[in-house]
Amino acid sequence: RDRASDANFELSDLMSNADLAMYRSKARGRGSYTLFTPDMVESHKRKLQIANGIEQGLREDEFIVYYQVKVDNYGHVIGAEALIRWQHPKFGLVMPNEFIPIAEQGGKITAITQWIIKRVCIDLPDIKHWAPQNFKVSVNLSGHDLRNAQLFDYIYNTLNVYDVNPENMEFEVTESAYLENFQLSNKFFRRMSNMGCSIALDDFGTGYSSLSYLTQITIDTLKVDRQFVMELQTSERSRLVTGAIIDLAKRLSLTVCAEGIETYEQWDYLRQHGCDNVQGFMFSKPVPLKTLLSLAPFYDEKQFKS
Ligand code: C2E
Ligand code: MG
Ligand code: MG
């Protein structure tokens, strides 16, 4: 009885509130139930405003690219990952984990992907001026992008228009996104690779248990998920698993990049076990272009030893 009054007795409210609870259950999967609570209305409103604000946000350039450096085993900066944020007029800085899934559901991810690719192309001359040679900027793609037949042409044309060397660009895609669209992904990434761009498999080790697909795909780099890096400290077994992943990648002649490095011990372990590149808060959090350009493009490891 209390529950019903929580949910408001007005029939239309009651129905829409019940819907909100139902959506949560559906999102969790089969065979679960959810009790309505009033905060669901707020979070639903926020979601709607985010979904409905994307197009205008892109038009008005409310989105921002942050860059996080990638570092080789000598501490030289060799690349940066472009990570999008949204400076929302009402909500402040909104993170991609919140708005990317909403954009995907609402069919707006293509516009976001195009925006960030163009933005990175505009920023690249400045970055190249600052960075060492062979520098790569990585852009994340969504699984939905891979089903979009026009994306290749968009990238090809945009790189041309901004006179960007494809060798300065890398595209990251998660293991699950790649495999959900296996045929399309293979075709798309083969074309990207022929054009000269690099491809990295993001969040490796978190999605699929079958490894046989690794022999059939076109990628250059395997990104070891932050979860493995975090667990390096916890047990010998975690260290062995991470070592084995690096080994596997090396045998397949892939470059290995580990993400989420926060301590010197993590970096040292990964280097000693054959990992090529790393990124993480220990070197730098993702930062706006201006801040990136003010960083030194190398790190002296002495600064990390306590
Ligand atoms: P991701 O591609 O795996 O990016 C790595 C995430 O880990 C970033 O979160 C980064 O800030 C965070 N990270 C890096 N180093 C550390 C560390 O040392 N400690 C901790 N705790 N975190 C670290 P962020 O920027 O919030 O992005 C989250 C996810 O959103 C990304 O995961 C990516 O899947 C997605 N994303 C970001 N930008 C884009 C984009 O432009 N397009 C698409 N489709 N997805 C994007
Ligand atoms: Mg990534
Ligand atoms: Mg990742």
Side-chain angles (χ1 to χ4, degrees):
R1 272 151 280 115
D2 288 350
R3 300 288 178 209
S5 62
D6 264 1
N8 193 333
F9 283 115
E10 174 70 39
L11 186 59
S12 63
D13 286 350
L14 188 64
M15 296 287 285
S16 68
N17 289 346
D19 272 344
L20 292 181
M22 179 187 71
Y23 293 142
R24 299 237 168 171
S25 288
K26 282 191 170 168
R28 273 210 297 270
R30 286 165 182 279
S32 77
Y33 68 94
T34 308
L35 291 175
F36 170 79
T37 54
D39 62 290
M40 286 179 194
V41 178
E42 270 320 298
S43 99
H44 180 65
K45 272 191 198 152
R46 179 173 164 115
K47 207 173 153 182
L48 277 182
Q49 288 182 42
I50 286 182
N52 295 331
I54 292 175
E55 275 164 343
Q56 184 178 341
L58 288 168
R59 268 199 311 276
E60 319 243 303
D61 273 338
E62 291 167 7
F63 290 85
I64 316 165
V65 189
Y66 276 40
Y67 293 95
Q68 185 181 38
V69 295
K70 299 188 185 190
V71 170
D72 71 9
N73 287 340
Y74 307 99
H76 299 291
V77 174
I78 47 92
E81 178 170 7
L83 294 156
I84 196 168
R85 278 95 180 86
W86 183 359
Q87 188 64 54
H88 193 280
K90 184 166 167 203
F91 302 130
L93 199 68
V94 183
M95 299 301 279
N97 280 336
E98 180 175 5
F99 68 78
I100 294 283
I102 296 173
E104 287 174 341
Q105 281 163 29
K108 307 254 161 70
I109 190 67
T110 307
I112 291 184
T113 303
Q114 294 185 347
W115 183 91
I116 192 156
I117 290 170
K118 185 172 156 191
R119 191 68 243 175
V120 166
C121 287
I122 293 170
D123 290 349
L124 249 171
D126 282 341
I127 299 177
K128 274 182 85 164
H129 191 72
W130 163 79
Q133 282 186 331
N134 307 325
F135 192 90
K136 286 188 206 311
V137 175
S138 311
V139 171
N140 290 282
L141 295 179
S142 142
H144 293 248
D145 292 323
L146 302 175
R147 280 174 240 142
N148 170 5
Q150 273 92 55
L151 182 64
F152 179 84
D153 292 335
Y154 179 84
I155 295 174
Y156 182 88
N157 290 330
T158 308
L159 266 54
N160 260 325
V161 167
Y162 289 95
D163 200 20
V164 165
N165 181 350
E167 290 177 5
N168 290 131
M169 295 283 282
E170 178 175 68
F171 290 87
E172 298 190 2
V173 61
T174 63
E175 190 183 20
S176 39
Y178 197 115
L179 294 180
E180 273 158 27
N181 309 280
F182 193 73
Q183 302 299 340
L184 286 173
S185 303
N186 255 348
K187 191 169 158 222
F188 174 79
F189 287 119
R190 209 171 305 129
R191 293 179 81 191
M192 295 289 283
S193 181
N194 288 339
M195 183 163 72
C197 297
S198 304
I199 296 120
L201 203 57
D202 209 348
D203 303 345
F204 181 77
T206 57
Y208 279 75
S209 51
S210 160
L211 294 171
S212 58
Y213 74 89
L214 281 176
T215 61
Q216 299 167 48
I217 69 178
T218 311
I219 56 167
D220 306 278
T221 297
L222 203 146
K223 291 193 78 179
V224 177
D225 193 69
R226 183 160 70 87
Q227 196 186 313
F228 292 101
V229 176
M230 273 164 56
E231 286 171 6
L232 283 179
Q233 285 111 318
T234 60
S235 75
E236 179 61 17
R237 302 183 79 144
S238 312
R239 285 188 285 278
L240 290 173
V241 170
T242 307
I245 291 178
I246 297 172
D247 238 46
L248 172 74
K250 297 271 87 176
R251 284 168 198 251
L252 293 167
S253 306
L254 301 173
T255 303
V256 185
C257 177
E259 46 186 4
I261 281 65
E262 295 185 1
T263 69
Y264 181 77
E265 288 69 33
Q266 290 169 337
W267 187 29
D268 213 38
Y269 184 90
L270 290 162
R271 282 195 295 190
Q272 283 182 22
H273 288 80
C275 180
D276 303 292
N277 304 318
V278 288
Q279 63 186 108
F281 291 176
M282 185 177 88
F283 301 96
S284 171
K285 289 194 170 177
V287 293
L289 178 69
K290 253 181 121 176
T291 314
L292 177 82
L293 301 179
S294 74
L295 299 175
F298 58 87
Y299 291 85
D300 183 346
E301 67 177 284
K302 279 189 215 117
Q303 74 187 89
F304 304 121
K305 289 188 188 163
S306 41

